[in-house]
Amino acid sequence: MTFRIPAPQILIDGQWRDADAGQTLPVEDPSSGETFAHIAAGTARDVDAAVAAARAALAGEWGAMPAFERGRVLARIGHAVLEQIDDLAHLEARDVGKPLKQARADVVALARYLEFYAGAADKIHGETIPFQAGYTVYTLREPHGVTGHIIPWNYPMQIIGRSVTAALVMGNAAVLKPAEQASLTSMAFARIATEAGLPAGALNVVTGLGAVVGAALAGHRDVNHVSFTGSTGVGVEIQKAAADNAVPVTLELGGKSPQIVFDDADLDKALPFLVNAGIQNAGQTCSAGSRILIQRGVHDRLLAKLVERYQTLTAGPALADHDLGPLISAKQKAMVSAYLELGRQEGLIVAEGRVSPDAPADGHYVPPTLFANVTPDHRLAQEEIFGPAVVVIPFDTEDEAVAIANGTAFGLVAGVWTADGGRQMRMAKRLHAGQVFLNNYGAAGGVELPFGGVGKSGHGREKGFEALYGFSTLKTVAAHHG
Ligand code: NAI
Ligand code: MG
């Protein structure tokens, strides 16, 4: 399979050009460790140019375009994305190291966001407010202006979908800064969007290092909203940088999400979710279900099933479509391996998958690993590992399950498995999370469903209609006419 590798350039005002300093960065294939492309290493001056282009787009064709027309442009981009699914999926599988079937699912998700937000374009509106005699009062929903989008390497296309496309449909002009580890599909997406008729400057893409390009964007004086997905540490820095300009931010910072299984759960239904939520994308998923809490009555039986499944799991090259691929980088492998070593030393590992014999030695593979009988306050049960490593924690009562589930600094999503309807409702209310799944996990990625965290998982919501409120501001107009 051949696929088009984008040239190492940035997109500003509809034009692809070299970065200001003319530098590039190598692009690594995590499956093999090989360099297979380069990206432009943008600078703060490039960010200035991108922000200026976005500002100009707001004053030009893009800013004047009616909402339904913006929707039509997004719909056309959505069709084009699906037409190029093979190209995009291969590019992403190669760049991120994710199995091809996951990369294809990411392309489909990106198209679904474009379809959803295309349809929403002309369905978001203000209200009239009953007020004192002699007044007519109404609200106008307006774009923030220039939006900055700093995205990570784990799901570039899905995060473009939930962040950039929602901002665009509300009439913002965007500057996208992809992660240096995985920028290629962001560039391919921008090319597709331009070819599908997105006006120049509505979307600008500056690739490069986080500390250079990301920092310049987050602290830019002429950016009106910043959306960030990534690590908690960088998210806090971005919020501080944006605070200097009193700019709102949306932060999506990962988690340590629990999957809670009660004695009365349908274990056979739960099992594939419990496994997949831990290993999808090699565990490099913000909403990974990385803590499995099991009530004592079914603990040993379910643990045995999990062990059996883990022993069949294989990590291997992305294009060979194994259960999981490599980690993104040598740095990520070192971080994850330190956790695996900690669990090994303490005798907590109960099951390990394998690394496929066809995996190149310089790829960043780790075996999927299950830890059991982990205490809730253990580092393995508290810290985001961001690899295919899951802890199993036993519990006795509903109150104890809630205390353990809520007992980390994070609060992104939670899954609950129980046949008891009352318990489902109680748990949904008591869990600290932005999304709670009852007898499922992840709701198949539902683009319609508002998503985001509490606590160190961040704040603000993307996905669904809720994202459109986040990517817009409200103006109240009070007319006195006597
Ligand atoms: P990161 O937070 O450094 O990278 C995310 C994005 O932020 C990238 O585009 C990066 O270039 C940019 N960035 C980095 N430093 C910046 C700065 N000073 N100012 C502005 N932008 C900056 O994440 P990293 O180092 O790649 O991964 C480390 C850990 O972060 C992972 O092990 C995982 O725990 C967490 N993470 C969580 C993600 C999520 O989906 N919530 C995604 C990626 C990482
Ligand atoms: Mg890469």
Side-chain angles (χ1 to χ4, degrees), residues 129-137 478-482:
I129 300 173
F131 194 57
Q132 296 172 18
Y135 280 89
T136 298
V137 180
H480 185 250
H481 38 67

Side-chain angles (χ1 to χ4, degrees), residues 150-155 159 162 177-181 208-218 228-235 237-238 252-255 284-287 328 331-332 335-336 384-387 412:
I150 300 170
I151 69 168
W153 39 262
N154 52 351
Y155 291 89
I159 297 170
R162 72 177 198 220
K177 188 280 192 236
E180 51 272 38
Q181 298 87 343
L209 296 174
V212 179
V213 178
L217 187 58
F228 170 79
T229 302
S231 61
T232 301
V234 172
E237 289 310 311
I238 281 171
E252 203 278 272
L253 308 177
Q284 302 165 121
T285 302
C286 49
S287 55
I328 187 72
K331 179 184 147 211
Q332 195 68 22
M335 282 162 56
V336 171
E384 184 178 47
I385 298 175
F386 228 61
L412 192 55

